[in-house]
Amino acid sequence: MTDMDRRSILQLTSAATIVGGLVVGAGGAAHAARRADRQIILKGKRTGANIPDVLTIGVPYFVRYELSDAEGRSVGTENAHCLPVTVGPDGSYVMATLVLSLDDGMITAATAFQRPLPAVTELPTGSRRWTHEFAITGGTRSYVGAAGSVTIEHPTRDEDALTINLTDAAQ
């Protein structure tokens, strides 16, 4: 089988998965579709953080969210370790690592992003919506060899929405 044939089969498998409406999540379905491109949508509710009142270059902080699927079922946790590398009155530039501990395995990711929230405080209300993207660096169990991206949107201070786009690393 040539690389072109293999690629065509993978593309057809991906299209069939999407058209068939297969929602890949925890359990056996995740293993069956592992080689095909897929998307996982999750919501997070913040359960912990040590974000300082004043962000300081080189002083790390963390955030933790409980994750749920579209039906509201608990599916794991999101943990991020963040390090401001520049700080200004309109926000900071942050390097971050992310670990998604899901029921069917772990996904790791990394990024550097402009955080638009004020550097002097994290406002409990009235914070601006913002989005940032992580590059997937690996995974375990159902996510061994994971590649792709994780986009996190922050509609409020204590909530986030994750779109995990997994791609076949062999393509």
Side-chain angles (χ1 to χ4, degrees), residues 62-121:
F62 80 91
V63 292
R64 177 182 174 85
Y65 293 80
E66 293 293 325
L67 296 174
S68 59
D69 63 14
E71 288 78 35
R73 293 180 299 235
S74 176
V75 295
T77 60
E78 166 192 349
N79 297 280
H81 181 263
C82 305
L83 180 69
V85 293
T86 64
V87 175
D90 294 329
S92 59
Y93 193 71
V94 176
M95 293 187 334
T97 56
L98 177 71
V99 177
L100 303 176
S101 297
L102 305 173
D103 292 342
D104 59 344
M106 192 178 306
I107 296 173
T108 59
T111 193
F113 62 94
Q114 181 69 32
R115 183 182 173 160
L117 301 174
V120 293
T121 187

Side-chain angles (χ1 to χ4, degrees), residues 29-79:
H31 295 287
R34 192 168 114 212
R35 305 285 305 165
D37 291 353
R38 63 181 166 152
Q39 186 176 75
I40 302 169
I41 308 289
L42 301 173
K43 295 218 178 281
K45 176 83 173 146
R46 187 191 294 187
T47 57
N50 73 338
I51 301 171
D53 290 337
V54 177
L55 295 180
T56 304
I57 295 171
V59 177
Y61 62 91
F62 80 91
V63 292
R64 177 182 174 85
Y65 293 80
E66 293 293 325
L67 296 174
S68 59
D69 63 14
E71 288 78 35
R73 293 180 299 235
S74 176
V75 295
T77 60
E78 166 192 349
N79 297 280

